[in-house]
Amino acid sequence: MRPFIFVLGLLAFTASFRAEAEGKPTALIWKGSKNKAEAEAQEDTWSQLEELLEKTGLTLPEGHPKLVESKTLPGLKPGFWVWILGTCAADEAGPVLEHLKLLAPGTYSREVKLPAKKLSCPKGPDA
């Protein structure tokens, strides 16, 4: 009986930890590099993706994509320059990331520490 109770307790702890992680804001990252000049050079390929985003109805927040030093965005690993496509509430990030990954498979997300009022998530065609 004791092992059963232990397993139930472990499952409850794991579920609450996962729920907490799922509620954190997310940065959507298109590309990046350890070197700023290399990251800046990636902008040359942006126009192709921008055209596809327009055709599929995904609109980025004003001022995006934005090249940022990762240490300036709490939650990201320092030492990189990354192109941010937006920052979303946890419940909005998934569908937007899926859309982005269809067009730019290297796009990924990372949890960040931002207040809700600072989030700026891309808007899909049905928004």
Side-chain angles (χ1 to χ4, degrees):
M1 183 69 162
R2 284 187 181 153
F4 179 72
I5 293 171
F6 175 75
V7 170
L8 282 178
L10 187 59
L11 286 173
F13 174 75
T14 304
S16 66
F17 180 75
R18 191 177 309 126
E20 180 181 313
E22 290 172 356
K24 294 183 180 178
T26 302
L28 302 174
I29 302 169
W30 169 51
K31 290 186 177 203
S33 176
K34 285 188 172 192
N35 180 290
K36 184 179 181 183
E38 288 177 12
E40 288 173 336
Q42 294 170 342
E43 188 175 20
D44 294 341
T45 62
W46 172 249
S47 61
Q48 297 167 341
L49 180 57
E50 183 177 36
E51 189 176 308
L52 288 172
L53 292 175
E54 288 175 9
K55 287 180 180 178
T56 60
L58 190 72
T59 306
L60 297 185
E62 189 173 330
H64 289 75
K66 181 174 16 177
L67 183 62
V68 301
E69 192 171 6
S70 58
K71 71 178 182 181
T72 65
L73 190 53
L76 295 184
K77 182 178 177 182
F80 296 91
W81 288 87
V82 293
W83 286 100
I84 303 291
L85 299 178
T87 50
C88 303
D91 61 337
E92 296 177 323
V96 175
L97 181 61
E98 286 179 30
H99 187 130
L100 289 166
K101 286 180 87 52
L102 289 172
L103 305 172
T107 303
Y108 61 99
S109 66
R110 291 290 181 262
E111 288 181 358
V112 292
K113 298 171 186 165
L114 287 176
K117 63 184 177 186
K118 291 201 172 194
L119 299 179
S120 54
C121 194
K123 301 294 180 209
D126 53 345

